[in-house]
């Protein structure tokens, strides 16, 4: 074997690109290869069952696994040999790798065995950094997340389907336990709640959330019709003040209610950089013009603003420049419609020049482009002292959604974008991009290809 293949850093880099079956083979080559390959093989596991199989002597019958329910003490060293390598655990209770019969322990007993019989109180996964836990079928599975929690954990995703009061009580007890966990300092937390009333668990969840002082990223998603005013009143004033990224839903009844809720969020989070909100009006309040964006102008440090709204928002040219002055660090600006995710703002295509002027740090933009024709005013050619372009190193994505572009207008559109968007990594996103070439999105596909050609031609001059 060449001596290079005995250098840890090189092997670690190679194995980071290897498939699991290749890692399993590499682990049998030598002691050094074995340790590095096993680290990569067990680093991310999409089910807890392979890990439990190491410590739970299994019995295979009719192609299915059963557990004998007893962990022998000599198996613990082997279990820990692999468990310490796990950095990411993902579990969905729809993954039924283990089944039960009238003569075998239930899945709940199988899951509980490692926690109950482990020596001492050391965590099962001492180096775990990320856990994703989805409970769809049986809420009794939710508490089995607790033995896998460790002070090393930095990212936690919990997805619940609350179907009845018993399920809600179970969720409450788990959040109460998490709130009392010593040494848990998350940096990233995602909570998704569907099928039931989030109101029933929000008090316990907020109690847990308040203790996460080092949290930087927080996302909460739920059925929009399940959230009450009381839930928002409890959640928003208790958000960890160090958050830099937030995704949430804001439901309101009138304009003043909407403004109050946005102000509460922004005043609570002075370090916020990324804000993604689903905005829903349950009353007379509607978002349709520049005024609906004005509450966000109090935070000039925002780098991304993504809003999902129920109706189109109308902006004029002066609004674009006002937004740019108040949000000078804006890098990603997306206003989308509920359900379709298509652009909620439509502007004449020539106004792209105004966005380029107003937002010098822009990286991505979502707009519906109107007034596209065979003759477009090219940037810098009409009463302009210099060519105004998007940031040539930053601007990469223009999402035009379902903007209508005829085949005859493709050359002018391509020339316009080729002069305005200079980044060689520039891409156009559009409705139907992943479909076959013969669909209605074909003109945008051709435009994107022509923009690349124009960029290369201009760079060669």
């Amino acid at each position: 074997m060449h001596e290079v293949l005995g250098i840890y850093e090189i092997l670690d880099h190679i194995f980071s690109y290897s498939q699991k079956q290749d890692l399993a083979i590499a682990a049998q080559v030598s002691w050094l290869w074995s340790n590095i390959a096993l680290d990569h093989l067990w680093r991310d596991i999409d089910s807890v069952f392979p890990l439990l199989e190491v410590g739970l002597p299994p019995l295979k019958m009719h192609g299915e696994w059963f557990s004998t329910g007893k962990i022998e003490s000599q198996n613990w060293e082997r279990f820990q040999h692999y468990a310490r390598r796990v950095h990411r655990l993902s579990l969905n209770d729809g993954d039924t790798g283990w089944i039960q019969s009238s003569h075998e322990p239930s899945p709940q007993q199988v899951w509980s065995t490692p926690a109950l019989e482990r020596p001492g109180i050391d965590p099962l996964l001492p180096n775990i950094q990320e856990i994703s836990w989805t409970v769809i079928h049986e809420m009794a599975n939710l508490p089995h997340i607790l033995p896998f929690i460790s002070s090393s954990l930095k990212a936690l995703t919990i997805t619940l389907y609350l179907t009845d009061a018993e399920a809600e009580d179970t969720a409450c007890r788990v959040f109460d336990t998490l709130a009392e966990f010593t040494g848990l300092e998350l940096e990233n937390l995602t909570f998704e709640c569907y099928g039931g009333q989030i109101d029933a668990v929000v008090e316990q969840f907020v109690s847990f959330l308040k203790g996460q002082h080092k949290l930087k990223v927080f996302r909460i998603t739920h059925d929009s019709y399940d959230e009450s005013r009381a839930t928002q009143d409890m959640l928003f004033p208790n958000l960890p003040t160090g958050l830099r990224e937030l995704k949430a839903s804001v439901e309101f009844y009138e304009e003043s209610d909407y403004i109050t809720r946005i102000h509460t969020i922004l005043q609570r989070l002075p370090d916020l950089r990324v804000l993604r909100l689903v905005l829903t009006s349950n009353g007379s309040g509607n978002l349709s013009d520049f005024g609906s964006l004005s509450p966000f102008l109090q935070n000039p440090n925002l780098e991304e603003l993504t809003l999902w709204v129920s109706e189109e928002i109308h902006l004029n040219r002066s609004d674009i420049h006002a937004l740019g002055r108040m949000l000078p660090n804006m890098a990603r600006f997306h206003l989308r419609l509920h359900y379709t995710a298509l652009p909620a703002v439509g502007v004449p295509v020539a106004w792209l020049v105004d966005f380029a002027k107003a937002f010098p740090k822009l990286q991505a933009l979502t707009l519906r482009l109107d007034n596209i024709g065979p003759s477009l005013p090219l940037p810098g050619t009409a009463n302009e002292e210099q060519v105004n372009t998007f940031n040539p190193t930053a601007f990469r994505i223009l999402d035009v959604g379902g903007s209508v572009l005829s085949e005859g207008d493709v050359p002018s559109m391509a020339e316009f974008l080729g002069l305005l968007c200079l980044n060689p990594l520039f891409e156009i996103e559009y409705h139907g991009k992943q479909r076959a070439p013969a669909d209605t999105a074909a003109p945008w596909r051709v435009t994107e290809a022509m923009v690349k050609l124009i960029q290369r031609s201009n760079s060669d001059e």
Side-chain angles (χ1 to χ4, degrees):
M1 181 186 297
H2 196 284
E3 61 181 9
V4 169
L5 297 179
I7 300 176
Y8 177 92
E9 290 78 12
I10 292 178
L11 290 174
D12 186 57
H13 182 73
I14 293 173
F15 290 161
S16 68
Y17 294 97
S18 300
Q19 302 294 320
K20 287 189 178 293
Q21 60 267 27
D22 298 324
L23 292 170
I25 295 172
Q28 304 175 52
V29 172
S30 68
W31 180 87
L32 175 63
W33 280 44
S34 177
N35 271 301
I36 302 174
L38 288 176
D39 280 344
H40 286 278
L41 183 62
W42 285 92
R43 180 167 295 166
D44 297 338
I45 56 176
D46 294 326
S47 170
V48 73
F49 296 115
L51 186 61
L52 295 183
E53 182 183 334
V54 174
L56 290 173
L59 175 65
K60 197 169 188 179
M61 298 176 58
H62 308 296
E64 302 291 348
W65 289 106
F66 295 86
S67 167
T68 61
K70 177 65 176 177
I71 299 180
E72 300 296 337
S73 58
Q74 62 265 29
N75 288 330
W76 269 109
E77 183 176 345
R78 178 176 171 81
F79 178 89
Q80 293 171 329
H81 177 71
Y82 296 103
R84 65 179 173 81
R85 304 175 189 272
V86 177
H87 289 185
R88 176 186 172 274
L89 171 63
S90 177
L91 185 83
N92 187 317
D93 72 348
D95 177 9
T96 54
W98 299 66
I99 65 172
Q100 63 174 317
S101 72
S102 58
H103 304 292
E104 299 299 332
S106 69
Q108 288 77 20
Q109 290 173 308
V110 171
W111 289 42
S112 299
T113 301
L116 295 175
E117 300 197 11
R118 72 181 188 266
I121 58 174
D122 293 336
L124 288 176
L125 306 177
N127 297 313
I128 190 70
Q129 295 180 7
E130 180 180 350
I131 293 179
S132 178
W133 206 267
T134 300
V135 180
I136 300 174
H137 301 293
E138 180 56 62
M139 188 56 63
N141 287 328
L142 178 62
H144 300 302
I145 190 177
L146 298 174
F148 298 101
I149 299 294
S150 167
S151 58
S152 64
L153 187 66
K154 298 304 177 186
L156 176 62
T157 297
I158 297 180
T159 302
L160 304 180
Y161 286 76
L162 302 177
T163 55
D164 52 36
E166 183 178 354
E168 294 166 354
D169 290 342
T170 300
C172 288
R173 289 195 299 271
V174 168
F175 286 128
D176 281 339
T177 304
L178 287 173
E180 298 173 358
F181 194 98
T182 303
L184 181 61
E185 296 181 338
L186 296 175
E187 297 176 0
N188 190 316
L189 174 62
T190 299
F191 177 40
E192 300 178 354
C193 183
Y194 305 105
Q197 295 292 327
I198 191 173
D199 291 5
V201 301
V202 68
E203 182 176 353
Q204 286 74 16
F205 177 76
V206 168
S207 177
F208 161 56
L209 182 67
K210 288 167 64 176
Q212 298 306 307
H213 304 296
K214 294 188 176 182
L215 199 66
K216 300 300 181 186
V217 179
F218 175 51
R219 307 179 187 94
I220 181 168
T221 305
H222 53 83
D223 295 328
S224 61
Y225 53 81
D226 282 336
E227 186 176 68
S228 70
R229 183 187 295 261
T231 293
Q232 296 183 101
D233 289 342
M234 186 177 299
L235 177 63
F236 295 152
N238 289 295
L239 292 169
T241 57
L243 281 183
R244 296 179 65 87
E245 178 178 330
L246 172 67
K247 179 181 179 182
S249 296
V250 175
E251 299 186 18
F252 55 95
Y253 299 90
E254 53 190 24
E255 185 177 359
S256 60
D257 187 27
Y258 163 72
I259 293 174
T260 298
R261 298 201 182 283
I262 300 302
H263 282 174
T264 298
I265 293 173
L266 295 179
Q267 290 174 4
R268 177 75 179 175
L269 308 176
D271 297 326
L272 195 65
R273 296 295 182 269
V274 176
L275 182 58
R276 301 178 181 132
L277 297 178
V278 179
L279 305 176
T280 304
S281 174
N282 292 326
S284 59
N286 291 311
L287 309 179
S288 59
D289 55 22
F290 176 76
S292 60
L293 300 179
S294 59
F296 301 98
L297 304 184
Q298 64 177 291
N299 185 347
N301 297 316
L302 278 179
E303 297 173 4
E304 176 179 333
L305 180 61
T306 298
L307 304 177
W308 288 267
V309 297
S310 56
E311 60 183 296
E312 288 196 1
I313 295 178
H314 302 282
L315 298 179
N316 58 44
R317 260 183 151 153
S318 61
D319 295 336
I320 297 170
H321 292 280
L323 287 170
R325 286 192 299 271
M326 300 302 292
L327 301 173
N329 296 306
M330 186 60 60
R332 296 170 296 279
F333 186 63
H334 307 291
L335 304 180
R336 305 181 187 275
L337 294 171
H338 285 310
Y339 308 115
T340 65
L342 293 175
V345 174
V347 300
V349 64
W351 290 14
L352 280 176
V353 176
D354 295 277
F355 278 96
K357 291 180 183 178
F359 298 99
K361 297 182 180 181
L362 204 61
Q363 300 173 11
L365 176 65
T366 296
L367 291 173
R368 189 190 72 245
L369 300 181
D370 302 326
N371 299 348
I372 301 175
S375 179
L376 293 176
L378 300 180
T381 60
N383 301 321
E384 298 284 353
E385 296 182 358
Q386 61 181 2
V387 177
N388 293 283
T389 69
F390 285 106
N391 188 313
T393 59
F395 190 70
R396 286 190 55 180
I397 298 176
L398 175 63
D399 187 342
V400 299
S403 301
V404 178
L405 176 64
S406 66
E407 292 184 6
D409 296 334
V410 167
S412 61
M413 187 76 250
E415 186 177 12
F416 181 82
L417 292 178
L419 292 173
L420 192 62
C421 308
L422 306 182
N423 190 332
L425 300 177
F426 172 71
E427 296 180 21
I428 304 174
E429 296 293 332
Y430 44 88
H431 186 60
K433 185 172 185 177
Q434 305 304 322
R435 300 176 187 171
D439 60 23
T440 56
W444 284 111
R445 187 174 288 109
V446 175
T447 298
E448 186 176 38
M450 290 182 66
V451 169
K452 299 292 185 184
L453 293 175
I454 293 171
Q455 289 177 331
R456 291 184 194 134
S457 176
N458 292 338
S459 64
D460 292 338
E461 293 179 358

